[in-house]
Amino acid sequence: MRWLSRSYLALVYLLLYVPIVVLIVFSFNDSRTGYNWGGFSLRWYESLFNNHAMVQAMWNSLWLALTAATVSTCIGALTALALHRYRFRGKKVLNGMLFVVMMSPEIVLAISLLGLFLLLGLKLGYVSLLLAHVTFCLPFVVITVMARLSGFDERLPEAARDLGASDFTMTRTVLIPVIMPALMAGWLLGFTLSMDDVVVSTFVSGPSYEILPLRIYSMVRVGLKPEVNALGTLLLVFSLVMLMLSQWILSRSKQ
Amino acid sequence: MTETLLSLSDISKQFDDKTVLDELSLTIDDGEFITLLGPSGCGKTTLLRMMAGFELPDQGTVTLSGVDITQTPPENRPLNTVFQNYALFPHMSVFDNVAYGLKMEKRPKAEIQERVEEALAMVQLEDFAKRKPHQLSGGQQQRVAIARAVVKRPKMLLLDEPLSALDYKLRRTMQVELKRLQRELGITFVFVTHDQEEALSMSDRIVVLKDGRIQQLGTPREVYERPANVFTARFVGQTNFFPGRVTKIEGERISVDVFGLNRDLSKPSFRVAMNQSLHVLLRPEDIRVLAPNDTEGVAGKIVERNYKGSTLDSVIELEDGSHVMASEFFDEDDPAFDYSIGERVRVSWVDGWEWLLAEEGDEPLTDEEELAADDAEH
Amino acid sequence: MMLSIKQQPFRAAVLVLVWGWLLFLVLAPNMLVVGASVMTRDPSTFIALPLNLDAYRQLFNPLYLEVFLHSLYMAAITTLVCLLIGYPFAWALSRVDKRQQMLLIFLLIVPFWTNSLVRTYALKLILATNGLLNSALISLGVLDEPAQLLYTEGAVIVGLVYLLLPFMILPLYSVFEDLRDDVLLASHDLGAGRFATFKNVIVPLTLPGVLAGVMLVLLPAMGLFFVPDILGGSRNLLVGNVIKNQFLDARNWPFGAAASIVLTLTMALLMFAHRLSKRRLGEEGA
């Protein structure tokens, strides 16, 4: 029984990772056709970095993810604090709305935002992308921070004030350090979601601001492009680093 | 001789239309160990939080050494709190936790170092300064919380059920330790608990609270031996309530009919009239269990028998169906001592050991009803 | 509480910011979609008066109805496959000892943090006519000539399962984690056999996880339009593709909006079922 369940786990992991391994191996394949091994080569990485538009899209995406993650972390953290600390009218509605944003199909969010931006006459580009990305990252940051706050002892802020800390000092010396791991984890999650997003970006981006996922999308729709293997490998390594960082932060804080 | 340190006058507080404190007044003397005792929801914690500054009264004033501090935020009050679950800062070492309050006062580094070490030595935790709170046991965390609060040399230490999270044995040790600390430091301790045993053994004075009002204020002995009302008598220790009726009033003496016995008692402090019903209170340890052929007392039979080590507790059912609790000290030399269940006995007490209370409008709840009310509250 | 009294300005600022953001970027746009769905198509302004239900009527046009049903069918199969793979997987995972569990869960969410387009593309490398799978099958002698794997319904389902499997496993894993061994022992102790325990104890207790997983898989499985774009060809479209085409290519906003409302209603239905199942177990619904 134990043997069976172990092999089953192994089999599913194998299926999950085969495509990723294939992708990595093929990124070093010299062959142009992409199906046969033509020897080790870094030519696709080279051609990737020589592609000016591609590099530009990469920078655009990084900048977008960086700003979207930061803005959503700030707003999300404040929201989580408000939900945690204050009693106010419509708290349940607010909670519900965040949950709905998180659960609703991305495409629904995408078209609704497209409608809004066109109605307002907002030029599709960096700003529209930023607003959209912050919106879909927000609930994830909120739940990450809320999870941390729910384990938070209500008496800690009081203890700090009892010992002579002003409200501001208390926030700086107790509240923020305690929720810091959640803030960082939320930021990393937001960053990754933003870097990965195709659905929403397809609708709300314009020609003035090309981002990486859309560039990849246009490349992979037809045929096989060996550069994508190289790019995918780079993105994979990048996400792995981010994920390990986030896990490390969370596990260190749990001790 | 003693000086008033803190006084609360006419304090009222409501939460969502529920009155938590009801025009309560209380003065606390400098250097005393005073305990706020009461069941959950009686307002004791709210009262403590009001002293600390975490709650503002809807009405009334709080003065400390003659200065009105009603509106003063907690960080500006020279009082410190030991929280129920300690509320240690999880991201700081033991040293930093204790140093926190001194850093807020912007003390020089050397002074902080010295005073923190001193405080940790006082609670025997010198060797644990570098640990994080989660690396300590419950009792050690408790000591850190105390050190953190006393290092600021507050005028008053507020302790919110500080021992409730500890197991029985550790709780006893900490009780002794807290008393020692209070003697050494000479600061006023305000201690909140729902454990009457803890209150009796530690306090100089006890404030018994119920529904946001003071039921009784007195020394542990007064509260135990001379309860002011039915609630206090029921809440502090176990008590037998016997129904009595006044049959004769003569100077300072009255006669009371209890279970058909006519007992000659001294007149209580409240007014009595002929034929008035009253409660005759007897602690289980004041009850005598006698042989069935004895001439004294009321007849009954043993229905429960519990060996408690130093005492033997029994429940005796009288002929009218009421139950009497008795607690006798174990005496191996007395062969007649050991009764078995079902055995017929007689129940009596020594004159003068009883305590009389007037009947109140709202009659006392039985233990079961009290438990049910408690459950409903949670 | 005192802290909140002192912080009234801060509190107000936070609430205004959050409410503002949600009302402006979530509620208003969604109202807009609802509004658009009952308006008339207009080539220049996208939508125009008069109000009508034409868009909803168009949903029942046999042409689109077929696309919808096909999409729903593929999403359902995807969800079922995810559940069949994920349920025993989550159970097995929850029985692994803690130390290894951390690593295994980490390995499970790595793909989630990896660009989904790139992963879909990687499948293409494997499924292509002269791709790895065909080559492997031919060299093993299973096939004589390459089979058409890419641009089929199967390819789309494989792609969706591959992308969405972790979303099924994680909620299932969390309910299996909460399922205490003593409950199962109690069931056996009271005379229930393996199957009876499974049916009467395990299934009801893991139902909220199943529904959460279904919700997290079924909805995206109807919306992830890039999967058919890359793997499915023009015949295996999802509702997502229809919505995208209506908005970006055909410029028929009312119809696209109506289609997306159908998707939203499906979500509402699933969320309702999920809440109900949690409430049955006496937990506070999310």
Side-chain angles (χ1 to χ4, degrees), chain A residues 22-37:
Chain A
V22 167
L23 182 88
I24 296 173
V25 170
F26 273 64
S27 76
F28 300 107
N29 187 1
D30 195 45
S31 160
R32 171 162 278 285
T33 57
Y35 303 117
N36 306 306
W37 184 251

Side-chain angles (χ1 to χ4, degrees), chain C residues 156-206:
Chain C
V156 174
I157 292 172
V158 166
L160 290 172
V161 169
Y162 181 54
L163 290 184
L164 298 170
L165 186 61
F167 292 92
M168 177 64 84
I169 291 174
L170 289 174
L172 283 173
Y173 164 75
S174 93
V175 286
F176 273 116
E177 265 290 284
D178 291 344
L179 186 70
R180 294 185 358 233
D181 274 339
D182 53 5
V183 180
L184 305 184
L185 291 179
S187 168
H188 289 305
D189 182 62
L190 295 167
R194 271 169 185 274
F195 181 73
T197 302
F198 179 73
K199 180 171 146 279
N200 298 317
V201 179
I202 301 182
V203 168
L205 284 177
T206 52

Side-chain angles (χ1 to χ4, degrees), chain A residues 87 153 155-156 158-167 169-170 173-174 177-178 255, chain B residues 16 49 54 74-75 79-81 83 87-92 100-101 104 134 148 152:
Chain A
R87 270 192 250 171
D153 183 355
R155 298 287 179 239
L156 287 183
E158 288 184 356
R161 303 202 62 195
D162 186 70
L163 294 166
S166 66
D167 200 51
T169 313
M170 181 278 290
T173 56
V174 176
V178 171
Q255 285 166 5
Chain B
D16 304 327
R49 288 169 60 79
F54 300 129
E75 59 264 36
L79 322 167
N80 289 112
T81 308
F83 291 86
L88 298 179
F89 304 126
H91 58 298
M92 295 181 196
Y100 190 88
M104 293 301 126
H134 67 87
R148 186 176 70 172
K152 294 196 66 166

